[in-house]
Amino acid sequence: MIKANYSSLCSSSSSTKKGALSMLLLTYVLLLLWRAASNPFPINTPLTRTQMEDLFRAYAPYLYLHPDEEYLPSSVDWFFSNGALLYKKGEESRPVRIEPGGTNLPKGGDPAGLYWLDLPADKGGRDRVSQGHIASAEAYVHFKPGVENGMFTDIQVWMFYPFNGHTSAKIWFIKRVSLGRAGEHVSDWEHVTLRVRNVDGVLDKVYFSQHGGGKWVDASLLQFESGNRFAWYSSRNGHAGNNETGLYLQGPGYGFGIRNDWARSNKVVDTGARFVVVASEGEAEAVAEPPWLSYESKWGPTKKYGTIVEVRRVRKFLLGKLKKLLDKLVKVIDEVYGTNGPAGPKVKNNWNGNEA
């Protein structure tokens, strides 16, 4: 049967053959287009380390601190070499100086919370180190496959701050109310994630970490300068990231909340000029990770103050409904800033997973 049909086809006219082939080709193309639309195939062409580093240099953000920022970033090694201490539960009177690179830091999990880091013990040292050292600041870069169908590569850019400053609030017509030590904690890790397309290296969007979460911003909404590099704004004292300047209130709303202030200043870190690749996933050649990256205990102690007590110092100067509004912020502050010392980059969920 197959042979007979084949003979019949061969005896047909040339025009008929061309018409049949054209119809067959058209049907095949339409089938491919239908399959692509209904079930697209992922483009999975992982980038090499060299390509990823080149892309980071091309897009590396400029980190802008607020003009009134008191607590600047530093390198991790500057923090260690200037008196940062390692504490262990039950041995609080015998803290240990941290060696360069964090070679003497404990490795692995610490579910019991046995270890934590802290500023130097003397007041002068604490004050000096908490202010950071912007000249030493460097970006810690982590390359990893993007989670969206294998079509992207994520470039995480982490910045370290020795100290997170106190927060302030806006309460209706009162633009700024200092809340004492509320929000303060030792060590602060913030980051942005650049998501680039594997197929052509185009920057698709950027994730800005913020207290209690963060946000994705399409590349078209970034403030570009020096070619394809963009501005990364750090909020005053709290260091939450944003793609633009301005004020955002975090809290119940109705004209009151925790202030997040972003503004441009001459306090700026060029992340492309000073960076270290600390991890790269999915490559045959592994990155030599710094010892401190495997430290999974807390980068700061449990806070040594009560948020309610700090807020009460301000509350007594307010009238009527303003007192109640301020009381509502206490829960928000503890949810946003937490009570325990912060975790390092590798412990955070977005190190391996997608940005929340």
Side-chain angles (χ1 to χ4, degrees), residues 225-241:
E225 52 190 278
S226 300
N228 293 321
R229 303 179 64 185
F230 63 93
W232 170 14
Y233 295 101
S234 175
S235 67
R236 179 183 178 183
N237 289 356
H239 312 135

Side-chain angles (χ1 to χ4, degrees), residues 95 107 112 142 152-153 156 167 181 197 200 251 254 270 276 283 307 349:
K107 305 297 187 294
H142 172 211
F152 298 89
T153 291
Q156 288 186 332
T167 188
R181 293 182 296 170
R197 299 198 310 231
D200 55 13
Y254 310 106
D270 180 352
V276 179
E283 290 189 289
T307 304
N349 293 333

